[in-house]
């Protein structure tokens, strides 16, 4: 299996590191537009192989899409990262042009690849990618946006913090748009080893957990001065592993809806089964009226961003 990661910044490099260590691909190609940057990142990562015990081949290239040909999965992290005070929405004008160029070039040499979009604003960049893929005759099931996996991880982190328990014992997901005001942490459905967390946390505390989850990205941007990279890189690795190992895991992801959840012609986060064919099935959750209302508002916000395209 061959995986290409486009963008050798902190998120892209961390994703490549995660994928290489999992040994789920025989080759990982890192591509960047900056001369020598991807080559340096790939060499640095490759020099950890004998220490970490993996044999994945790591290759770095400068804007040479032919070296990415016949990739099974393409991960797109290209674009400007958020800076303090900047919303994901403000990035759309700059990143749309970058993503269109990258996706078109990558799919031209890997038309059978599953493409994973990480660039922000992610929901809109995924919708743009869906449009490009459709023009090229590529199935909508091969276009996935990575947002829900990361947001759900941050949700479980906040739940673990509130309960003072291991995150690995918690289950919870976030649906909706990948934005500070559009994501929907499903506190009602969250469980601690199968037991609803609402039995242990008050409604007030659950709202606090939800609120902290929603500003998780902005909180880290404020602390770091740029976007986070460890958790995003791990979330990318989780999705790529589910694809290449055909694990059929349910992972909240941004996909194209055509009537599901009452929405059409939009890419937004919902729980989907991820396997070798991309996203293979949308899981229809029985949302409460309040959750349905929140999802509708989230979709409206995503459509407003899409209109800028």
């Amino acid at each position: 299996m061959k995986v290409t990661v486009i963008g050798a910044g902190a998120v892209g490099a961390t994703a490549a590191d995660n994928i290489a260590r999992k040994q789920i691909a025989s080759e990982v190609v890192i591509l960047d537009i900056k001369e020598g940057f991807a080559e340096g990142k790939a060499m640095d990562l490759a020099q950890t192989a004998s220490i970490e015990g993996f044999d994945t081949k790591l290759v770095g290239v400068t804007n040479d899409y032919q070296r990415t040909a016949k990739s099974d999965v393409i991960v797109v992290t290209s674009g400007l990262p958020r800076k303090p005070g900047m919303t994901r929405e403000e990035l759309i004008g700059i990143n749309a042009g970058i993503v269109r160029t990258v996706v078109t070039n990558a799919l031209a040499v890997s038309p059978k690849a599953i493409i994973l979009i990480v660039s922000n604003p992610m929901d809109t960049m995924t919708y743009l990618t869906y449009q490009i893929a459709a023009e090229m005759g590529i199935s909508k099931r091969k276009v996935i946006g990575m947002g829900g996996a990361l947001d759900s991880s941050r949700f479980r982190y906040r739940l673990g913090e509130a309960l003072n328990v291991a995150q690995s014992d918690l289950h919870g997901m976030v649906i909706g748009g990948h934005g500070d005001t559009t994501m929907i942490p499903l506190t009602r459905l969250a469980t601690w080893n199968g037991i609803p967390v609402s039995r242990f946390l008050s409604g007030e505390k659950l709202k606090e957990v939800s609120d902290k989850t929603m500003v998780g990205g902005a909180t880290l941007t404020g602390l770091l001065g740029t976007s986070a990279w460890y958790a995003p890189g791990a979330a990318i690795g989780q999705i790529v592993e589910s694809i290449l190992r055909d694990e059929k895991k349910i992972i909240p992801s941004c996909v194209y809806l055509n009537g599901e959840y009452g929405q059409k012609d939009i890419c937004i986060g919902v729980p989907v089964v991820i396997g070798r064919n991309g996203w293979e099935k949308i899981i229809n959750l029985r949302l409460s009226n309040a959750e349905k209302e929140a999802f509708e508002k989230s979709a409206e916000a995503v459509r407003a961003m899409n209109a800028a395209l």
Side-chain angles (χ1 to χ4, degrees), residues 5 19 99 106 124 146 178 181 192 249 264 300:
V5 178
I19 294 164
V99 169
T124 297
M146 193 290 290
H178 181 55
T181 59
W192 176 13
K249 283 188 175 180
K264 282 189 175 184
E300 288 176 5

Side-chain angles (χ1 to χ4, degrees), residues 283-304:
I283 304 300
N284 188 22
L285 298 174
R286 295 177 180 176
L287 300 179
S288 68
N289 289 335
E291 290 160 351
K292 288 178 182 177
E293 184 179 344
F295 193 84
E296 178 64 36
K297 288 181 179 179
S298 180
E300 288 176 5
V302 170
R303 288 186 197 282

Side-chain angles (χ1 to χ4, degrees), residues 156-238:
R156 291 189 291 270
Y157 164 74
R158 289 301 184 184
L159 283 171
E161 183 181 55
L163 288 164
N164 193 28
V165 301
Q167 294 178 51
S168 58
D169 219 20
L170 295 167
H171 294 274
M173 71 172 70
V174 176
I175 62 172
H178 181 55
D180 301 342
T181 59
T182 57
M183 69 178 73
I184 307 163
L186 295 174
T187 54
R188 181 179 63 89
L189 301 179
T191 62
W192 176 13
N193 203 2
I195 306 168
V197 296
S198 56
R199 287 184 55 179
F200 310 100
L201 297 174
S202 67
E204 182 180 355
K205 191 65 178 178
L206 283 173
K207 186 180 184 306
E208 180 184 325
V209 166
S210 179
D211 290 345
K212 286 183 176 180
T213 299
M214 292 176 72
V215 296
T219 299
L220 287 165
T221 301
L223 292 169
L224 298 169
T226 187
S227 299
W229 57 90
Y230 292 123
I236 293 166
Q238 179 192 33

Side-chain angles (χ1 to χ4, degrees), residues 72-73 112-115 138-144 242-248 273-281:
D72 295 281
V73 179
K112 295 182 179 180
I114 294 163
I115 191 156
I138 296 170
S139 170
K140 64 182 181 181
R141 296 180 185 274
K142 292 191 172 185
V143 178
I144 304 170
S242 191
I243 292 169
L244 296 186
R245 294 196 192 280
D246 198 23
E247 292 179 334
K248 314 289 189 189
V273 176
I274 301 284
R276 191 63 191 87
N277 297 312
W279 66 267
E280 300 182 358
K281 181 181 179 182

Side-chain angles (χ1 to χ4, degrees), residues 10-11 14-15 18 150 227-235:
V11 173
T14 305
N18 273 273
L150 172 61
S227 299
W229 57 90
Y230 292 123

